[in-house]
């Protein structure tokens, strides 16, 4: 029996992780130590009952009575609050899925790394906000880090231990506005931005895909995961999302990993690593696919990629600033307080104002820089003209 914990079980990756557990043997192969969620306690309670979890935690203390009521008589322990989420990560599960969205996932994921778990990392923000700090915790705890982001899982799968990569080529779908003009993009609503053409994901990452901030975060994620220099990291738009990413070597050869756009593939890989367990994933039919397309991303319409490159070159605390400003701008956009194109403008201004912020040396430094950036980004959002009536 392998003991597992899912941080963020009620989200898109969390739900797919429970499905992947079923694929690979369900309750006969896995014992669920803890599940954590936030506002959707009805789903959290249902999941905990179904998989026989020992502990269910909601990050929101106000929802504890509701969680307790939903789990009464089940024997599942309950707890609430951010500290309880960290404690859930500290419990002795060998394998931990880190699938909380945003910088909120950092402290619990660090906890799992410090005690030496196998950490399946979907929460890319851990590496974006605190790459060196997070990797030091992994090394200190002798933890095993397995990327779950499809691009990074692909790279991890085709890395050749005998040769250093020359280039890391991240593929990007280009999101729903890949071919839109700037004028049309300016009027995009949150409801439209959330609809991704290829992948089914949480609302925030879907909007990040539409701005390509998701790829920006993934560039920084790749920098730390694979210890790549900024100029080794490339992004290519590949609308079909079949090639999940590629690695180029010094002899000119490029290795790619392909599959249908379904996160359960990368999750099942993280569960079976270092082996490959059979799964019912859809098989690629190349004759039906017939073609794969590629084109360079447009820097005018997708400034996020340029901002990620600037953050990589600046180093220090720039990744933390980029992420916190992006999360603040994203929330303002989702609440209809700023426009779609304003998000990158806010991030760019925050990066300029906080240029030279040092790399956070401890978790408290991350929180301090994150809070300082959010306060500044909130002001920058307020300064932007109110969103005009949209088509
Ligand atoms: P989601 O919004 O669907 O789910 C997020 C989960 O985090 C939920 O369980 C929610 O309850 C929990 N959560 C939210 N705020 C929290 C807080 N403050 N404290 C504790 N828990 C909180 O997100 P998702 O799409 O599943 O993405 C999760 C992570 O995985 C993100 O970092 C995302 O970038 C990454 N990721 C997602 C996908 C995908 O296909 N969805 C692909 C690659 C990477
Ligand atoms: Mg990805």
């Amino acid at each position: 029996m392998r003991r597992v914990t899912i941080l963020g079980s009620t989200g898109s990756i969390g739900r797919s992780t429970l499905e992947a557990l079923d694929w690979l043997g369900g309750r006969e192969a896995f014992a669920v130590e803890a599940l954590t969620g936030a506002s959707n306690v009805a789903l959290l309670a249902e999941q905990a009952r179904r998989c026989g979890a020992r502990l269910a935690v909601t990050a929101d203390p106000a929802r504890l009575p509701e969680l307790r009521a939903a789990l009464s008589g089940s024997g599942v322990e309950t707890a609430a609050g951010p500290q309880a989420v960290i404690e859930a990560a500290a419990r002795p599960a060998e394998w931990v899925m880190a699938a909380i969205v945003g910088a909120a996932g950092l402290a619990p994921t660090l906890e799992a790394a410090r005690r030496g778990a196998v950490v399946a990392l979907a929460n890319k923000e851990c590496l974006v906000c605190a790459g060196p700090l997070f990797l030091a915790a992994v090394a200190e705890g002798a933890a095993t880090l397995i990327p779950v982001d499809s691009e990074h899982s692909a790279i991890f799968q085709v890395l050749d231990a005998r040769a250093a990569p020359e280039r890391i080529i991240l593929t990007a779908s280009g999101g729903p506005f890949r071919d839109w003009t700037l004028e049309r993009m300016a009027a995009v609503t949150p409801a439209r931005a959330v609809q991704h053409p290829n992948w089914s994901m949480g609302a925030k990452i879907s909007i990040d895909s539409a701005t390509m901030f998701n790829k920006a975060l993934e560039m920084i994620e790749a920098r730390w995961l694979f210890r790549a220099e900024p100029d080794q990291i490339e992004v290519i738009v590949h609308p079909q999302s079949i090639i999940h990413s590629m690695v180029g070597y010094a002899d000119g050869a490029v290795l790619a990993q392909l599959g249908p756009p379904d996160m359960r593939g990368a999750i099942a890989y993280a569960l079976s690593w270092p082996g490959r367990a059979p799964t019912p994933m859809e098989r690629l039919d190349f004759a039906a696919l017939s073609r794969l397309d590629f084109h360079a991303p447009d820097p005018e319409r997708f400034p996020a990629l340029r901002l990620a490159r600037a953050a990589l070159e600046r180093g220090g605390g720039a990744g933390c600033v980029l992420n916190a400003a992006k999360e603040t701008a994203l929330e303002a956009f989702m609440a209809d307080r700023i426009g779609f194109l304003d998000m990158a403008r806010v991030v760019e201004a925050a990066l300029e104002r906080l240029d030279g912020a040092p790399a956070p040396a401890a978790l408290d430094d991350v929180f301090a820089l994150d809070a300082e950036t959010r306060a500044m980004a909130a002001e920058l959002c307020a300064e932007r003209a109110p969103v005009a009536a949209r088509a």
Side-chain angles (χ1 to χ4, degrees), residues 2 4 16-17 19-26 29-30 94-97 118-121 144-148 153 156-157 257 263-281 283:
R2 199 164 186 212
V4 304
S16 292
T17 303
E19 286 176 32
L21 289 175
D22 283 339
W23 283 358
L24 302 183
F30 300 99
E94 296 149 53
W95 187 94
V96 177
M97 166 54 77
V118 176
V119 178
L121 189 72
T144 304
L145 191 57
I146 307 189
V148 169
S153 172
F156 186 75
Q157 292 182 51
Q257 188 263 350
M263 287 307 295
R264 292 174 299 181
I267 297 167
Y269 180 80
L271 274 167
S272 347
W273 181 89
R276 280 186 188 275
T279 78
M281 280 285 285
R283 274 26 180 187

Side-chain angles (χ1 to χ4, degrees), residues 234-318:
E234 304 172 28
V235 172
I236 187 83
V237 176
H238 164 44
Q240 292 93 350
S241 299
I242 296 297
I243 296 183
H244 294 155
S245 276
M246 307 180 259
V247 178
Y249 292 94
D251 58 357
V254 174
L255 303 192
Q257 188 263 350
L258 285 70
D262 181 338
M263 287 307 295
R264 292 174 299 181
I267 297 167
Y269 180 80
L271 274 167
S272 347
W273 181 89
R276 280 186 188 275
T279 78
M281 280 285 285
E282 181 199 329
R283 274 26 180 187
L284 288 180
D285 175 347
F286 286 93
L289 276 172
S290 82
R291 57 185 275 180
L292 298 175
D293 298 306
F294 304 95
H295 65 80
D298 176 358
E300 289 294 310
R301 292 179 304 122
F302 298 102
L305 301 178
R306 170 174 57 81
L307 298 177
R309 210 161 279 291
L312 282 171
E313 274 150 18
R314 279 178 189 179

Side-chain angles (χ1 to χ4, degrees), residues 33 35 48 53-57 67 71 74-79 91:
E33 178 67 33
L35 298 180
R54 285 198 180 165
L55 170 69
V57 179
L67 182 64
L71 282 170
S74 67
V76 181
E77 285 173 55
T78 54
R91 304 237 314 206

Side-chain angles (χ1 to χ4, degrees), residues 90-166:
R91 304 237 314 206
E94 296 149 53
W95 187 94
V96 177
M97 166 54 77
I100 292 172
V101 63
L106 177 60
T109 309
L110 259 181
E111 190 70 25
R114 283 191 181 127
R115 67 170 177 79
V118 176
V119 178
L121 189 72
N123 179 271
K124 59 194 86 183
E125 293 88 349
C126 284
L127 287 166
V128 176
C129 303
L133 189 71
F134 187 74
L135 292 181
V138 169
E140 226 170 85
T144 304
L145 191 57
I146 307 189
V148 169
D149 215 347
S150 57
E151 297 76 3
H152 305 73
S153 172
I155 293 160
F156 186 75
Q157 292 182 51
V158 299
L159 274 181
D160 182 338
R162 296 158 303 174
E166 183 182 71

Side-chain angles (χ1 to χ4, degrees), residues 303-368:
L305 301 178
R306 170 174 57 81
L307 298 177
R309 210 161 279 291
L312 282 171
E313 274 150 18
R314 279 178 189 179
C320 179
V321 171
L322 179 138
N323 182 67
K326 190 279 296 174
E327 286 193 32
T328 308
L330 175 63
E331 274 157 28
F333 170 69
M334 288 174 88
D336 252 333
R337 284 187 278 110
I338 62 171
F340 184 78
L341 297 176
D342 289 331
M343 286 189 272
R345 296 183 184 124
V346 167
V347 173
E348 180 155 27
L351 277 170
E352 270 161 25
R353 290 201 197 173
L354 288 165
D355 189 18
L363 193 52
D364 282 343
D365 301 334
V366 183
F367 293 149

Side-chain angles (χ1 to χ4, degrees), residues 12 38 42 50 67 171 198 203 220 238 249 290 304 358 386:
S12 167
R50 201 166 359 105
L67 182 64
T171 51
N198 303 355
I220 304 175
H238 164 44
Y249 292 94
S290 82

